[in-house]
Amino acid sequence: MHGLKQALLQIWRLTYPYYTTRETTEVRLWPLPAIRMQERWIALLMAATVIGIEFAQVAINVRLSYFNRDWFNAIQGKDAAAFWSLLFSVFCVWAAVYVASAIIQYVIQSFLRIRWRAWMTRHYVDRWLGGDAHYRMGFSGAQTDNPDQRIADDIDQFTQTTQSLAISFLSAASNLISFSVILWNISASFTVPGTDWHVPGFLVWGALIYSGLVTWITHRIGRPLIRLNFEQQRREADFRFSLARLREYGEQVALLGGAEAEKASLRGRFGALIANFYAIVDRRKKLAAFTTSYQQVNVVIPYILVAPYYFAGQIPLGVMTQTAGAFARVESTMSFFITFYVTLADYKAQVDRLTTFDASMERAVAMGAQSRLRVAPRDGGALHLSGLGLDLPDGRRIAEAQDLTLRPGETTLLTGPSGSGKSTLFRAIAGIWPFGEGEVATPAGARLMLLPQRPYLPMGSLRSAATYPDASGRHDDAAIREALEAARLPHLAGRLDEDAPWAQTLSLGEQQRLAIARALLAKPDWLFLDEATAALDEPTEAALYRMLRQRLPDTTLVSIGHRSTLGAFHERRLDMTPREDGRFVPTDVRAPVAAQ
């Protein structure tokens, strides 16, 4: 019972936000003009319509149950007039209404599903990317595997399955109530077959006991499917991600001769996927053997129970068929759990994955809110670090900067051994590093831009890659071409509209030069280069630094680098010097006069 309560609470937490959102949107219902209204009212109106149609269809089935009784009575009495009258005046009319309502219900249900999925997708993407949660989730220690699958697949399956199960459950409940009344009234005077025991509503109790027993057996057999389905989705996503990652780093794998290692890794991941799949097949085989047998027996069980009363002359043929049909309806609705067990097992896995994703994002957001490392704007133009201590995720402190000022217009080179916290210091200045304490005071109103060693290139055209993160329409083509030529990429200037996997098409040196072109277009007030030219030869690197000084005279450059030649392009040099306790501290050292 606790597990059921927990599952229902998880479903409620995932469902509630959409049906209570106050976001407004435009909706148009032909032939009426477009109107703006809150998304929740659209969702609730659609859901109410779908549910109303479902209840109406149950009422139609009840009416057809009485048609079935009268029709078979007419057949038994050889009443041709009643036979044809019932067929055309009752069955054809209500069957046509049922078909029309089913079509309308499907269309509204489909619109509701896609709107719900679109809203949840936007909601999750905003939360995932907001506040750098996507970055910090890697440090949260929660189950955050394959967020792409959770947003793309699990949300789609969750909205579809929730909608389907909710409608099926409501249909089952209304069928149970409606046909239980019919079955109770018919069997009110029945005795237990072969005895004189009079049990009011005998057939209703029989259906309840029968379906309850079968449900319990089904759950005992199929319960491991919940865990197995969760694991299968994770392993499928891991295998798909491994293939995508191999495609992204194909050149590096080829250069290292890593094909055999990758084959072994892929075989291992796929083997784990297959092993779990076989476990699912084995469990479903047992479940299918039981449920299929149960479904076959169900065809005759109602007639077996009602037959003694028919052969004893207590009921006519029409009542027998109506009773058998009502029993089948009641029993099938009571067996809702059995019919949808595999679906429910898959659904529980989807709910668990979205719930853990939710929890992981909440931890990531909390990590940022609880961080003692603060980044805040301050008047004065300089960038100041005070009482700064930088920690690793495991709590070990690697670097400190108690009182450090970076002055505007003064180019600065940050050097030091690997692992001394140089890149971590840049992350702290950018405001994405949550581990540590102290304050980073950034110049008020200044725009900071950080270029990492390996640039991110989004999918799409070269134009979007060159202007990222700005929208591609913000810069005209002439400015983009000029920036590419200045960054020594003239051969790309004529390919702005070309869509290609640029992360694989361009060498790392070309990618770094493309990032330099981005900086030329963005014109930031502060530009931080984290070994952003490490893949370039020294003459090209020198030429690009001179070009940046000439084209961005108002931009303050702060660089991380290991080459001694970089000192000539910076007016100040800070070296990450180790103290006796092993922590590194940025210390001023003499630097050559910067080249102009």
Side-chain angles (χ1 to χ4, degrees):
M1 182 61 69
H2 176 72
L4 176 60
K5 181 180 178 180
Q6 184 69 20
L8 291 175
L9 184 60
Q10 289 176 338
I11 295 168
W12 172 253
R13 287 173 177 169
L14 293 172
T15 305
Y16 175 81
Y18 175 62
Y19 287 92
T20 57
T21 179
R22 295 182 180 274
E23 294 179 13
T24 58
T25 186
E26 186 174 275
V27 62
R28 183 184 183 91
L29 183 62
W30 185 89
L32 301 176
I35 59 172
R36 292 194 65 81
M37 60 189 304
Q38 290 183 356
E39 181 69 29
R40 60 172 175 162
W41 295 120
I42 300 174
L44 291 171
L45 180 61
M46 285 185 172
T49 303
V50 169
I51 292 171
I53 292 174
E54 190 66 32
F55 288 155
Q57 290 175 345
V58 172
I60 293 174
N61 285 329
V62 171
R63 178 64 186 90
L64 291 177
S65 169
Y66 285 99
F67 155 79
N68 185 76
R69 180 197 66 185
D70 297 338
W71 205 46
F72 275 96
N73 283 339
I75 293 174
Q76 185 180 29
K78 298 183 179 180
D79 186 347
F83 176 89
W84 294 111
S85 176
L86 288 167
L87 178 64
F88 291 111
S89 65
V90 179
F91 176 78
C92 289
V93 173
W94 288 111
V97 172
Y98 189 95
V99 170
S101 68
I103 295 172
I104 295 172
Q105 184 187 46
Y106 168 75
V107 172
I108 297 176
Q109 200 169 341
S110 299
F111 276 108
L112 176 58
R113 174 191 165 191
I114 196 63
R115 293 187 73 94
W116 189 4
R117 180 190 177 186
W119 185 90
M120 282 192 72
T121 300
R122 288 195 303 270
H123 180 66
Y124 272 74
V125 168
D126 288 347
R127 289 178 61 201
W128 184 45
L129 295 179
D132 301 310
H134 63 290
Y135 172 70
R136 292 175 179 153
M137 280 169 63
F139 306 116
S140 67
Q143 301 179 41
T144 56
D145 59 283
N146 306 296
D148 54 314
Q149 184 202 30
R150 304 192 189 204
I151 293 174
D153 296 339
D154 289 335
I155 288 178
D156 180 34
Q157 294 170 11
F158 172 75
T159 55
Q160 179 182 6
T161 310
T162 301
Q163 199 177 66
S164 175
L165 287 176
I167 295 301
S168 298
F169 177 77
L170 290 173
S171 176
S174 55
N175 271 297
L176 176 62
I177 295 171
S178 302
F179 286 95
S180 289
V181 172
I182 295 174
L183 198 59
W184 187 283
N185 290 334
I186 292 175
S187 62
S189 59
F190 285 2
T191 58
V192 178
T195 71
D196 294 329
W197 298 347
H198 177 257
V199 180
F202 161 69
L203 293 179
V204 176
W205 296 113
L208 177 61
I209 295 170
Y210 174 62
S211 59
L213 176 63
V214 173
T215 297
W216 180 79
I217 296 173
T218 301
H219 180 58
R220 295 289 295 178
I221 297 173
R223 186 175 183 180
L225 279 175
I226 296 174
R227 175 185 56 80
L228 290 171
N229 284 330
F230 183 99
E231 189 65 18
Q232 187 68 15
Q233 291 181 15
R234 185 182 69 82
R235 294 185 181 186
E236 291 277 6
D238 285 345
F239 180 64
R240 184 171 61 246
F241 179 75
S242 297
L243 292 173
R245 186 172 176 81
L246 178 59
R247 180 186 62 187
E248 182 179 357
Y249 291 94
E251 180 181 2
Q252 291 88 330
V253 172
L255 289 173
L256 291 172
E260 292 303 318
E262 291 299 324
K263 287 179 184 178
S265 175
L266 290 174
R267 279 195 295 266
R269 292 184 182 274
F270 191 68
L273 183 157
I274 293 297
N276 194 76
F277 179 77
Y278 281 142
I280 292 176
V281 170
D282 181 65
R283 183 55 55 174
R284 284 194 176 183
K285 174 188 66 179
K286 297 172 182 176
L287 185 61
F290 178 74
T291 56
T292 304
S293 301
Y294 157 78
Q295 290 166 358
Q296 291 299 316
V297 171
N298 270 3
V299 177
V300 297
I301 285 291
Y303 291 97
I304 292 174
L305 292 176
V306 180
Y309 307 108
Y310 173 73
F311 292 131
Q314 292 181 253
I315 57 174
L317 178 62
V319 175
M320 178 184 182
T321 57
Q322 184 187 28
T323 304
F327 181 92
R329 288 272 185 177
V330 171
E331 188 279 327
S332 65
T333 55
M334 289 180 177
S335 304
F336 173 87
F337 185 70
I338 302 170
T339 305
F340 290 95
Y341 195 90
V342 173
T343 302
L344 287 168
D346 288 339
Y347 181 57
K348 183 60 169 63
Q350 296 160 15
V351 170
D352 287 344
R353 288 180 63 80
L354 287 176
T355 300
T356 55
F357 189 36
D358 261 333
S360 180
M361 288 191 289
E362 289 176 3
R363 288 190 183 95
V365 172
M367 185 184 298
Q370 295 168 5
S371 175
R372 294 177 298 161
L373 202 162
R374 302 298 179 187
V375 179
R378 189 176 71 176
D379 294 334
L383 193 153
H384 186 70
L385 312 178
S386 58
L388 188 68
L390 299 177
D391 298 339
L392 295 177
D394 61 8
R396 289 186 297 116
R397 179 150 297 183
I398 57 170
E400 291 183 350
Q402 294 299 323
D403 186 13
L404 177 64
T405 299
L406 301 179
R407 293 174 287 274
E410 182 180 58
T411 55
T412 303
L413 175 64
L414 182 62
T415 62
S418 297
S420 59
K422 301 185 301 298
S423 296
T424 304
L425 180 61
F426 272 21
R427 296 186 187 108
I429 293 173
I432 66 173
W433 190 254
F435 307 107
E437 62 182 356
E439 182 179 351
V440 177
T442 58
R447 182 180 179 187
L448 280 63
M449 186 175 191
L450 195 151
L451 303 185
Q453 184 175 2
R454 187 175 183 84
Y456 169 69
L457 302 184
M459 298 176 62
S461 67
L462 180 63
R463 180 185 289 101
S464 62
T467 60
Y468 185 86
D470 292 336
S472 57
R474 181 174 176 180
H475 305 282
D476 59 50
D477 289 359
I480 299 173
R481 292 191 183 96
E482 182 182 354
L484 290 174
E485 290 173 358
R488 300 204 165 193
L489 293 171
H491 56 288
L492 297 180
R495 303 172 65 182
L496 296 183
D497 293 317
E498 184 177 334
D499 282 355
W502 297 109
Q504 290 79 46
T505 303
L506 303 179
S507 67
L508 181 56
E510 289 175 315
Q511 293 179 40
Q512 290 184 344
R513 280 177 278 163
L514 185 62
I516 295 293
R518 287 177 182 170
L520 293 175
L521 291 169
K523 296 181 173 59
D525 298 296
W526 291 73
L527 180 61
F528 295 84
L529 297 96
D530 185 358
E531 299 191 63
T533 57
L536 305 178
D537 58 86
E538 290 184 4
T540 301
E541 182 181 59
L544 288 177
Y545 264 96
R546 280 192 292 267
M547 181 272 296
L548 285 173
R549 294 296 304 275
Q550 293 168 1
R551 289 179 174 264
L552 300 177
D554 298 324
T555 298
T556 301
L557 300 182
V558 183
S559 306
I560 291 176
H562 294 284
R563 290 175 179 168
S564 59
T565 53
L566 285 175
F569 303 99
H570 298 81
E571 298 163 346
R572 182 185 184 189
R573 177 182 165 187
L574 294 171
D575 189 69
M576 298 298 286
T577 306
R579 297 189 319 200
E580 292 182 359
D581 59 6
R583 298 173 182 177
F584 290 85
V585 177
T587 306
D588 274 292
V589 296
R590 296 187 61 183
V593 178
Q596 300 298 320

